[in-house]
Amino acid sequence: MRIERKRGGPWVNEHRSIFKFMRRTVDIHEDSGDDVASVLAQRRDAMGELIDYEAKRDRELCVTGSGWSQSKLFHGLSSHVTTDGDEGIWPVPDEAFLDSVKNRGRYVLVTGGTKIHRLMDWLGKPERDLSLRTAGSHKGQSVAGMVATGSHGSTLDETGCETHVRGMVLSTGKGEAVWLGDPDKPVLKEAWIQRFATPRDPTHFAAARVHLGGMGFVSAYLIEAVEEFYCGLVKRARVLPADWADLIAQGRFAEAMGDITQGRTPHYYELTFDPFAAEDEEVLETIWLDIETTAKPVLDAAPVSRTSFEALGEQAAKGVKQITENPLAPEMIEARLRDLIDVPGMIFDDFKEHACDERDVPRTLPQLTAQWEPHRLFGLRVDVYNAAFAVPLERLPEALRIAREMAAGTEDNIRTFSKDFVYTVRFAKKSPAEMGFLKFDNNAIINIDGLPKNFLLGTDAHVAARRLQYLLKKAGIPFTMHWGKDAQMDAADIRDQYGTAVDAYRAARKALLGERDEVFISPALERWGLA
């Protein structure tokens, strides 16, 4: 590991929703030697020195990977630790395993700064033929960022990405690195772990699994992969049948999808709703159907590269062309541009142009997961607003009804909001982590995806998210919000939603960091009552 200190400067997250000026920057680089135990021991020493150096000067450390999170991570005097160069992946040597561990080739040690796409590529190499169980909606996140916020891939039988983690190495700055292992599935010999870390109380593992940046520097994860699997992709628009909501509330996904499944098991299901449309109008469905095979199929399908909001730039360009062909008075241009922005319309039009039925074309998880690219509108970069509410699956029909009535308006059929957002619904199982936001046995996740708060011509997306949060509370529908998105919650909300898990998180943080807890602090942790 190399640590490079630099002068500070401006920093912005990928959504461009958080801007900070940093006084100093620390770049972490991993040179990836072959002996993983020796590499981790060197990382322990280097990170310990860095943390001690900052602690003695009463500075906080803020660690970022891809900068995908929308949570407030920085205090004003923080030192910014970047991990774009901190990439390392190693197979676990045979001598490290407990005798009882099977399928040893599925385990990998990976640095927290490693990007998902690199880990996916490494796992999927020929003769490894492995895969993650689930992953975030794009491949640009760091592994630590993905796990820290409980990001999820919405596959029907999986939970958040923390489900991959069987152990973690944390640098705490107290002259040691700490090992926390999964007490329900121990993998590594303690004597081998002690070459680079001090094993600590495994009862803290559940609390630290979704660590929210508050448990130290995540040096490495022990990840358990699965055998590579294959799915066929379907993208279609249709009017949902009358019994769709009842079937979904019961978890009968294949029946809700209809004849398209042809007896196959659905692996993933995503729906995009126009919030302003009537219930008998079309919605967009993205479906992955399992493909069973006894041998690795030929994988010559093009990877999925198009995300919903890439439609905005192309569709908006058509509107700009109309304006240039039919000039308006200067004072009318801004209003005309604003009228052109119909986010649901743009997304629906683009989706239909790229609809497909490729249920027999095998793709791997990396091929089904898009690479993040910035979005553009009128030729300028436009970033996306995201908020995500997880509700119990059986309450989804009621929650969706509330969300759609909210958007449509109730006063003489006058819309309450501008058409700046869509609802995207996905599904996932309960998280094993204390602070995983997928708290219910079966979760339906309602996403509000729309124009960002700082959109020059204004936007209603974030206002709609606040209103929906209020209406769900009023209706008595329990929900949690995604940590990495715009989670509009304070300590009282977190205590109400997570209960004693808050105490477990705070206890783990104090046990692991002690007086170093002031180094790993953020406005988000303070606001949530977790620091």
Side-chain angles (χ1 to χ4, degrees), residues 28-51:
I28 305 297
H29 299 271
E30 178 50 60
D31 298 324
S32 299
D34 294 331
D35 183 351
V36 61
S38 296
V39 169
L40 292 176
Q42 196 269 336
R43 292 172 64 86
R44 172 197 62 202
D45 297 340
M47 284 306 302
E49 291 178 9
L50 170 64
I51 296 167

Side-chain angles (χ1 to χ4, degrees), residues 204-215:
H204 292 311
F205 177 72
R209 205 168 187 173
V210 170
H211 57 82
L212 302 172
M215 298 289 180

Side-chain angles (χ1 to χ4, degrees), residues 307-313 343 347 375-376 384-386 420-422 449-451:
T307 56
S308 296
F309 278 84
E310 288 174 357
L312 287 175
V343 169
I347 289 177
H375 315 300
R376 296 190 178 277
V384 182
Y385 174 83
N386 296 119
D420 298 335
F421 57 93
V422 294
D449 298 323
L451 298 178

